[in-house]
Amino acid sequence: MTCTPAAAAAGDGEASLHSPPCSPSYDLTGKNKVVTVDGARVKLQIWDTAGQERFRSVTHAYYRDAQALLLLYDITNKSSFDNIRAWLTEIHEYAQRDVVIVLLGNKADVSSERVIRSEDGETLAREYGVPFMETSAKTGMNVELAFLAIAKELKHRAGRQANEPSFQIRDYVESQKKRPSCCSFV
Ligand SMILES: Nc1nc2c(ncn2[C@@H]2O[C@H](COP(=O)(O)OP(=O)(O)OP(=O)(O)O)[C@@H](O)[C@H]2O)c(=O)[nH]1
């Protein structure tokens, strides 16, 4: 579950996306997932790169047609965070111009091993203009939100009228996301 680009492709008018989140308790990969957005059902088709990213063997074709990409790093693993810039550069070059990108700092539940501060994730996300949240595949923190935010963005794009204001995914995520508690004293 490290720095994983997840891809997406559209099909039959349904929003679909590939994603990485995979987890001990909230394993969402390789499955279809239906999210209800404003009463409408949005079907997300999810793919995981399944570790290929570690060998830099994720081909461009994998995410070239994606509608959304979830980029994960592990907050306990600095190299996974450092790899994100390279992925963002690559995505910028090879993915769809309007691909929805969400940055996730996973394993937020293991604060004792944290090496990447939340602020570092926030700063990187701001630099690239993408929404950011920390997640835990173990506790489920913000996992549903990541999918819901993407589903909302894709649905708004699909059904948007000319004068309608666009959905602001970053504002939405900022208003909804849970933050890990900063300190735990035993
Ligand atoms: N505590 C904690 N452990 C996690 C979390 N997410 C994944 N893990 C653990 O981290 C290890 C690696 O998780 P995987 O989901 O296999 O990681 P991965 O990098 O996606 O592995 P590949 O599918 O091979 O790419 C496993 O032992 C998981 O149980 C999390 O949010 N919190």
Side-chain angles (χ1 to χ4, degrees), residues 27-89:
D27 189 354
L28 298 168
T29 53
K31 297 177 185 151
N32 287 341
K33 183 172 171 59
V34 177
V35 179
T36 304
V37 179
D38 306 330
R41 286 156 58 84
V42 179
K43 186 172 161 192
L44 307 175
Q45 216 172 56
I46 301 167
W47 282 268
D48 181 13
T49 52
Q52 292 173 84
E53 74 282 356
R54 281 195 279 278
F55 310 104
R56 305 290 300 179
S57 61
V58 177
T59 65
H60 306 148
Y62 189 85
Y63 57 85
R64 193 181 48 211
D65 298 322
Q67 287 178 293
L69 297 166
L70 284 166
L71 276 178
L72 268 84
Y73 64 86
D74 175 347
I75 66 156
T76 71
N77 177 334
K78 185 166 182 309
S79 66
S80 73
F81 181 72
D82 293 341
N83 282 339
I84 293 286
R85 275 182 195 282
W87 281 113
L88 283 163
T89 304

Side-chain angles (χ1 to χ4, degrees), residues 138-153:
K138 187 168 185 184
T139 67
M141 186 184 85
N142 290 332
V143 171
E144 290 296 313
L145 175 60
F147 289 103
L148 182 59
I150 286 173
K152 276 181 176 280
E153 172 70 30

Side-chain angles (χ1 to χ4, degrees), residues 1-2 22-24 48 50-51 53-54 106-107 109-110 135-138:
M1 199 137 140
T2 48
C22 37
S23 70
D48 181 13
E53 74 282 356
R54 281 195 279 278
N106 190 50
K107 296 202 187 178
D109 58 287
V110 279
T135 55
S136 168
K138 187 168 185 184

